Structures are given as C-alpha cells and as structure tokens.
Amino acid sequence: MDNESKKDDRSLNPVKMEWDRLLTTKRFGQEKYHDQRQHARSDFQRDYDRLIFSSPFRRLQNKTQVFPLPGSIFVHNRLTHSLEVSCVGRSLGNNVSNALSEKYKDSPCYNKLQEIGAVVAAACLAHDLGNPPFGHSGEKAIATYFSEGRGQSLREYMSKQEWEDLVHFEGNANAFRLLTHQFNGRREGGFALTYSTLASIVKYPYISTAASKKGKLGFFSNECESFKKIADDLGIIKKDDNGTVFARHPLVFLVEAADDICYQIMDIEDAHKLKLLTTEETKDLFLQYFDDKRKKSIYKTLEIVDDVNEQIAYLRSCVIGGLVEECSKCFVDNEEDILQGTFHTTLISQISDIPRKAYENCTDFAYKRLYRSSDVVDIELAGHQIISILLDKMIYAVENPAKSYSMLLLDRIPKQYETKAETKYERIMAVLDYISGMTDVYALDLYRKIYGMSLPSL
C-alpha cells in the first residue's frame, strides 16, 4: 500500500484521534460559509451564547430536575442544573487544557487546546435540552408508551431501527436531534453549532439497535447520517463496519463528569433545604470526601461560619472543587486510552479511593432516601400519566388529521413540527419533538384542557 493509501485508510478509521481534528470551528449545516476569520468571541464562545439565548434553553427553567418545583423553597430545575454543570465543565476543560498545553506546546494543535474549556462549557449547556418534562421519568414514560402501552400497536408500521428509536427514547439523542434537525421554516443545520460542540454532547455514540442494556443511544435513525458526517470530519474512531457505532469524542468524558458531579452533590444540598436530610446527615455525606488533614482545615472554616445553609454551601463547594481536580487528573492520566477509543468507563469511577468511595456511598444513599421519596415518586406517577395521554391524543390526531377533534389538537402544534410528514415514523417523531419540548407546566395545562378541567378566563 502506498503512502497516500495509508493516509486515506487512517482518515477513515484512525488508530488514534488527533486534537488538531477534534477541535474545529466548522459549523453544522453552514459548511460552505466556513472560514478561519478571527472574531471578538471564539466560535465556541459563540456556541455558548447562541444556546443561552435560545428558547429551548429558557424552557429548562420550568422542567423538573429531581424534586418538584415548590414556590417557597428554590430547588434546582433543569436550567439552573445546566448552568452549574456548564461552570464545572468549564473548570474541568480549563484544567485539562492547561495540562495538555505543556505536552503539546510544539504541536499545531496548541492554540486549539486553549479552547477546550469553552467547548465543554457550551456542550454542558446543551446536554439536557432534549429532555422531556417531568425529569427522567418523562423519558421513561415516552419509551414505555411504545414498549408497554398503547403505542405497541404501531410496531407493525415501523422498521426495526425506527421501532428501536421509539422504545429506547433517550434525552441525549433527542438533544442531538433538536440541535441539528432542520425543522419547518428553520435554517439548515438547526442551531448551526460547531462540529466539536455537537460531538461533545453525544454520550452514547451509536444507533438504537446497538444500544446498551440500559437502552442508551446517541442519535435517532434520522440523525445517523448527520452524526456520521461530523464524526468522519473530526476523525472519531469507528467501532463497526457500518459506521453506526463510534468511540466517544474525548470531551464527552468531561461533559459527563461535570454532570455526574453536579447532579448528585446539588441534589443532596436541595434535600437539605427541603428538610429531607438533617444538617448532620448532610455534613457527614460531604465530609466523607476528605482525608483527616483536609477535614481539619474544613472544620476551622465551619467554626467561623455559623449559618447552617452557608456551612452546607461551603462543604458542597469543597466537594465539587475536589472532584473537579480528581476528574481532571484522571482525564490527563488516561488521555492516550481516550484518544485511542479504549477508555470505556466514567472519569468519576476512576478517581482516588477516598472521594470515589464517598461518591459511591452518596449515590447509594441518594437513591434510597431521595430519588424514591414520596414527592419525587408522585411527580413520576403524574408525569407518566400526563405524557401517556398527550401521546395518545397527539398521535391519533396526526394519523387522522381530517377528524374534527384532530383538527383542534393539531392547531395547538406549532408549524415547525412536521406533523404532515410522509412516513408514520416521521409524524410520530414530530409529536415527540412537540411533547419533549414542553415545560412541566405547559404539559399539565394542556392535559387539563384536553380533559376539560381547565378553561381560559371568560
């Protein structure tokens, strides 16, 4: 094989991913306008700003994170969670950037490495955009509607791939669709984000027929070609001959770590505010992350600060700071395996013993005491019912658009959603686009209106 052929073969299935390709300012759907002009903001900072000002991002303020959204005590919603994950992701990215800059100081990728923090921050902002209302129970409600509910009757009209998309509906895959799909009246490329930011969002880079036992997938069948286009350009390693299973973009590990750090630690702080946990329980959970030397330093600060909420906030910040350092180091230590696509676990599961065991203990505790609390379960029950009914009504409407009642329902669906698409699969995906974009309040209000329990003021 000549040198040129070897080069072509490496580009199709590289043995190792390269930072110089992985970090690109090329924008999805806007490739013909791509240039290397210098702007006041970097392209990745522009991704961040574009997401902040978007309607789907604003709607996260009224989507459940874990706990119900009470009026008197402010707990996290999807928007505040995403902002915090983005802050942690930026810190992780900057730490990794600083460490790798020394290693690659004489490499063409040196300047690009300075942008890792910005890429991760933008990807973290977007990581939950595809989640439906009512937290993770909303995802489960959609998936089980097709696998266990009335949606089972649609199976005979779907290809195997299309059906797997529905029964494994996943917020992460839906985020990639939301960001890249050209909805009616919108420009090509969806949000037109950079290839690097888009790839950094996809935690499970494979189609639904290759989903793990947990049913996770990274893109629906309609978006498979979009992801392949991005992955090929970035030089992401292919894991199968069909180009439907890939290695992760390396920065996915940092986005995932930021999410892992925030959701658990902040959920514990929220539980304390809601009095689901006592102050002593909360302190004990956070203090177990530190060795005796660090604890002595923390105790001195706690003696100065006697406000209980401030004490918990200080402990929380110490835990997050420590986990950021641990996960950053883990990434740098495993960089070669990550670039070769052979690192197959989470960063947080590979940190040093004391914080790792503390994290595992907190995870077990949170599941038993927090995620199964009556308030959380009640939201799951209500959300499951609301989403199931909305799916029933909306799918019937798009399949029977000439019916009088269907016309009324279809008038509620914005024209950007392709309810008149040619195939049944595409029409159902339009319904999922509409429902998954709803806030908790909007979904509940529409549910009540459908059942005549809520009327406009006369």
Side-chain angles (χ1 to χ4, degrees), residues 178-198:
L178 174 66
L179 294 169
T180 58
H181 187 72
Q182 185 178 6
F183 293 98
N184 288 334
R186 304 300 178 90
R187 66 178 172 180
E188 186 179 358
F191 276 52
L193 299 180
T194 61
Y195 281 24
S196 296
T197 296
L198 288 170

Side-chain angles (χ1 to χ4, degrees), residues 180-337:
T180 58
H181 187 72
Q182 185 178 6
F183 293 98
N184 288 334
R186 304 300 178 90
R187 66 178 172 180
E188 186 179 358
F191 276 52
L193 299 180
T194 61
Y195 281 24
S196 296
T197 296
L198 288 170
S200 297
I201 294 165
V202 183
K203 290 172 65 175
Y204 317 104
Y206 35 77
I207 57 174
S208 55
T209 49
S212 64
K213 291 181 180 179
K214 293 183 179 180
K216 302 294 187 179
L217 63 146
F219 41 85
F220 300 122
S221 54
N222 274 11
E223 285 69 55
C224 185
E225 290 303 316
S226 296
F227 186 80
K228 286 167 68 174
K229 177 181 180 180
I230 293 169
D232 288 345
D233 192 86
L234 297 177
I236 296 177
I237 294 172
K238 295 177 183 177
K239 294 287 191 176
D240 72 342
D241 294 333
N242 298 322
T244 55
V245 179
F246 293 83
R248 283 177 162 189
H249 187 289
L251 299 188
V252 170
F253 289 97
L254 298 180
V255 175
E256 179 181 53
D259 192 28
D260 287 343
I261 291 169
C262 285
Y263 85 79
Q264 187 197 88
I265 304 306
M266 302 313 301
D267 288 349
I268 289 173
E269 185 176 17
D270 278 349
H272 176 258
K273 289 179 180 177
L274 293 169
K275 302 189 184 306
L276 295 174
L277 296 179
T278 67
T279 298
E280 289 309 310
E281 284 177 319
T282 308
K283 286 183 177 179
D284 288 343
L285 286 170
F286 285 160
L287 285 167
Q288 65 181 311
Y289 279 89
F290 310 106
D291 60 24
D292 291 338
K293 181 180 178 181
R294 181 73 174 106
K295 283 181 183 177
K296 287 181 181 179
S297 172
I298 290 172
Y299 284 135
K300 288 181 180 179
T301 301
L302 292 179
E303 289 173 2
I304 300 171
V305 180
D306 57 9
D307 180 273
V308 171
N309 287 327
E310 192 64 23
Q311 287 181 337
I312 299 302
Y314 168 68
L315 284 171
R316 175 257 298 155
S317 70
C318 291
V319 173
I320 290 178
L323 290 176
V324 165
E325 294 301 318
E326 288 278 347
C327 289
S328 302
K329 182 179 183 301
C330 182
F331 184 96
V332 174
D333 290 346
N334 292 280
E335 185 217 0
E336 288 298 315
D337 287 340

Side-chain angles (χ1 to χ4, degrees), residues 8 14 41 55 60 137 141 189 208-209 233 266 311 342 402:
D8 291 343
R41 298 169 294 155
S55 295
L60 293 178
S137 62
S208 55
T209 49
D233 192 86
M266 302 313 301
Q311 287 181 337
T342 56

Side-chain angles (χ1 to χ4, degrees), residues 145-146 153-154 157-158 391-403 406-407 409-410 413 418-431:
Y145 174 82
F146 296 102
S153 62
L154 299 165
Y157 304 102
M158 305 286 159
L391 283 170
D392 247 357
K393 301 295 185 183
M394 294 296 174
I395 290 175
Y396 180 85
V398 298
E399 291 306 294
N400 300 274
K403 300 279 187 180
S406 296
M407 292 180 186
L409 278 179
L410 292 175
I413 302 179
E418 299 155 298
T419 57
K420 298 179 182 179
E422 291 185 8
T423 71
K424 190 181 291 286
Y425 170 78
E426 290 173 319
R427 293 193 293 274
I428 290 173
M429 289 302 295
V431 170

Side-chain angles (χ1 to χ4, degrees), residues 36 74 80 85 226 284 310 354 371 399 417:
Q36 296 296 333
F74 186 77
T80 50
V85 172
S226 296
D284 288 343
E310 192 64 23
I354 291 176
Y371 303 145
E399 291 306 294
Y417 301 118

Side-chain angles (χ1 to χ4, degrees), residues 33-270:
Y33 304 114
H34 179 61
D35 59 45
Q36 296 296 333
R37 288 179 300 168
Q38 295 297 312
H39 302 273
R41 298 169 294 155
S42 76
D43 280 279
F44 306 119
Q45 290 168 339
R46 292 166 69 195
D47 282 351
Y48 183 96
D49 295 349
R50 188 168 294 181
L51 289 162
I52 281 282
F53 283 92
S54 69
S55 295
F57 186 75
R58 283 198 302 277
R59 287 198 293 269
L60 293 178
Q61 70 183 305
N62 224 327
K63 287 192 176 186
T64 299
Q65 172 63 15
V66 172
F67 299 108
L69 304 175
S72 57
I73 300 175
F74 186 77
V75 295
H76 285 81
N77 53 41
R78 285 282 172 186
L79 185 139
T80 50
H81 168 73
S82 296
L83 288 170
E84 289 170 349
V85 172
S86 183
C87 288
V88 171
R90 183 184 60 221
S91 296
L92 286 163
N94 287 342
N95 285 354
V96 168
S97 173
N98 291 337
L100 296 184
S101 291
E102 180 62 26
K103 177 179 179 180
Y104 295 101
K105 60 184 177 183
D106 298 321
S107 169
C109 69
Y110 175 81
N111 289 330
K112 291 184 176 182
L113 291 173
Q114 311 310 306
E115 294 288 353
I116 287 179
V119 178
V120 177
C124 287
L125 273 190
H127 83 284
D128 269 353
L129 283 185
N131 282 55
F134 308 111
H136 289 295
S137 62
E139 291 176 285
K140 187 180 293 185
I142 291 174
T144 55
Y145 174 82
F146 296 102
S147 64
E148 301 174 8
R150 296 180 66 174
Q152 292 180 88
S153 62
L154 299 165
R155 183 170 188 170
E156 63 182 292
Y157 304 102
M158 305 286 159
S159 69
K160 177 177 174 57
Q161 176 64 65
E162 291 169 345
W163 183 247
E164 292 295 312
D165 285 352
L166 299 179
V167 298
H168 294 303
F169 179 87
E170 220 280 333
N172 190 248
N174 201 45
F176 185 76
R177 174 178 170 83
L178 174 66
L179 294 169
T180 58
H181 187 72
Q182 185 178 6
F183 293 98
N184 288 334
R186 304 300 178 90
R187 66 178 172 180
E188 186 179 358
F191 276 52
L193 299 180
T194 61
Y195 281 24
S196 296
T197 296
L198 288 170
S200 297
I201 294 165
V202 183
K203 290 172 65 175
Y204 317 104
Y206 35 77
I207 57 174
S208 55
T209 49
S212 64
K213 291 181 180 179
K214 293 183 179 180
K216 302 294 187 179
L217 63 146
F219 41 85
F220 300 122
S221 54
N222 274 11
E223 285 69 55
C224 185
E225 290 303 316
S226 296
F227 186 80
K228 286 167 68 174
K229 177 181 180 180
I230 293 169
D232 288 345
D233 192 86
L234 297 177
I236 296 177
I237 294 172
K238 295 177 183 177
K239 294 287 191 176
D240 72 342
D241 294 333
N242 298 322
T244 55
V245 179
F246 293 83
R248 283 177 162 189
H249 187 289
L251 299 188
V252 170
F253 289 97
L254 298 180
V255 175
E256 179 181 53
D259 192 28
D260 287 343
I261 291 169
C262 285
Y263 85 79
Q264 187 197 88
I265 304 306
M266 302 313 301
D267 288 349
I268 289 173
E269 185 176 17
D270 278 349

